[in-house]
Amino acid sequence: MEKFKLVLVLLSTTFWCETRAQEAPSPFSEPSIGYLHQFAGASERVFIFERYDAEGKLVARDVKALTEPVVINGASRRTIGGYAISLRGLVECPQKEVTYNRKQRWACEKAAADYMGAIYNRRASVILCKTLVLRSLRKEPDPSSCFALVGGKNSDPLMVVNDDDAMVFLGLASIGKTDGGASRRPDLLHSQNLSGSDVQP
């Protein structure tokens, strides 16, 4: 049995290494488990903030130990590692009250804080946010997409939580539109169509 477990660990490690070697940083795609796992610390949470230019090229990466709790300021606003962040292309709380946590009625912002607070502050080992803003503007949040690596303890499988997708799926945020009426996040349309499902934290 122990040998079988060792083989699984070795295979998983090989998979992660191969994924890291093959996966190029991207401003839009969801990162793989392997991409996030390469930043994992032995005993501390890690926050990565990546900046991309208009052509989608990674131009800056800040990696730091996350010593303070993540603050969920709203359904689409976060404070992580000293950075003010707004989830890219989303409009928070289209409804003031939502069905959440065993079909109870919750205030939208309270539900967002409960759900993502548990993810970021109790389960995540690595948090990654990506933005196309090359330099933060004073008092303006950076529009970003954020992801958390959770699991890996107590036999929980490693997985990536997509913050943007979760907020849309739970009905805590909706997809914004351009002045011409086009969707700002066509990648999340499927989740918005499924929105309204009652998901437990």
Side-chain angles (χ1 to χ4, degrees), residues 99-104 169-170 194-200:
T99 301
Y100 173 76
N101 194 16
R102 299 181 179 86
K103 301 189 182 299
Q104 299 176 8
F169 179 73
L170 289 170
L194 295 174
S195 179
S197 300
D198 186 42
V199 178
Q200 307 303 317

Side-chain angles (χ1 to χ4, degrees), residues 137-157:
L137 299 176
R138 189 177 181 182
K139 297 184 179 180
E140 291 291 330
D142 291 320
S144 310
S145 289
C146 296
F147 310 88
L149 179 67
V150 302
K153 297 179 181 178
N154 301 320
S155 300
D156 288 339

Side-chain angles (χ1 to χ4, degrees), residues 41-92:
S43 60
E44 58 189 13
R45 294 185 303 152
V46 178
F47 174 58
I48 307 105
F49 194 65
E50 295 182 340
R51 295 184 187 275
Y52 294 81
D53 64 18
E55 296 178 352
K57 179 182 177 181
L58 177 65
V59 295
R61 176 190 285 141
D62 184 16
V63 181
K64 62 170 69 176
L66 192 58
T67 58
E68 298 292 330
V70 174
V71 179
I72 311 299
N73 308 103
S76 67
R77 291 168 290 128
R78 317 279 182 255
T79 301
I80 310 176
Y83 289 94
I85 289 165
S86 63
L87 299 183
R88 181 174 58 87
L90 299 187
V91 178
E92 63 181 10

Side-chain angles (χ1 to χ4, degrees), residues 13-139:
T13 303
T14 301
F15 169 77
W16 289 331
C17 289
E18 289 178 352
T19 301
R20 289 199 298 268
Q22 296 172 1
E23 183 177 356
S26 164
F28 300 116
S29 63
E30 179 177 309
S32 68
I33 291 172
Y35 186 79
L36 293 180
H37 194 266
Q38 68 181 314
F39 300 104
S43 60
E44 58 189 13
R45 294 185 303 152
V46 178
F47 174 58
I48 307 105
F49 194 65
E50 295 182 340
R51 295 184 187 275
Y52 294 81
D53 64 18
E55 296 178 352
K57 179 182 177 181
L58 177 65
V59 295
R61 176 190 285 141
D62 184 16
V63 181
K64 62 170 69 176
L66 192 58
T67 58
E68 298 292 330
V70 174
V71 179
I72 311 299
N73 308 103
S76 67
R77 291 168 290 128
R78 317 279 182 255
T79 301
I80 310 176
Y83 289 94
I85 289 165
S86 63
L87 299 183
R88 181 174 58 87
L90 299 187
V91 178
E92 63 181 10
C93 293
Q95 299 179 21
K96 296 300 181 183
E97 286 194 348
V98 295
T99 301
Y100 173 76
N101 194 16
R102 299 181 179 86
K103 301 189 182 299
Q104 299 176 8
R105 297 298 290 173
W106 284 54
C108 173
E109 290 191 355
K110 182 180 177 182
D114 183 76
Y115 188 85
M116 288 313 300
I119 296 292
Y120 282 135
N121 294 318
R122 296 203 295 271
R123 299 181 61 199
S125 56
V126 178
I127 298 169
L128 166 67
C129 292
K130 307 189 290 187
T131 185
L132 290 169
V133 176
L134 296 181
R135 181 178 296 177
S136 298
L137 299 176
R138 189 177 181 182
K139 297 184 179 180

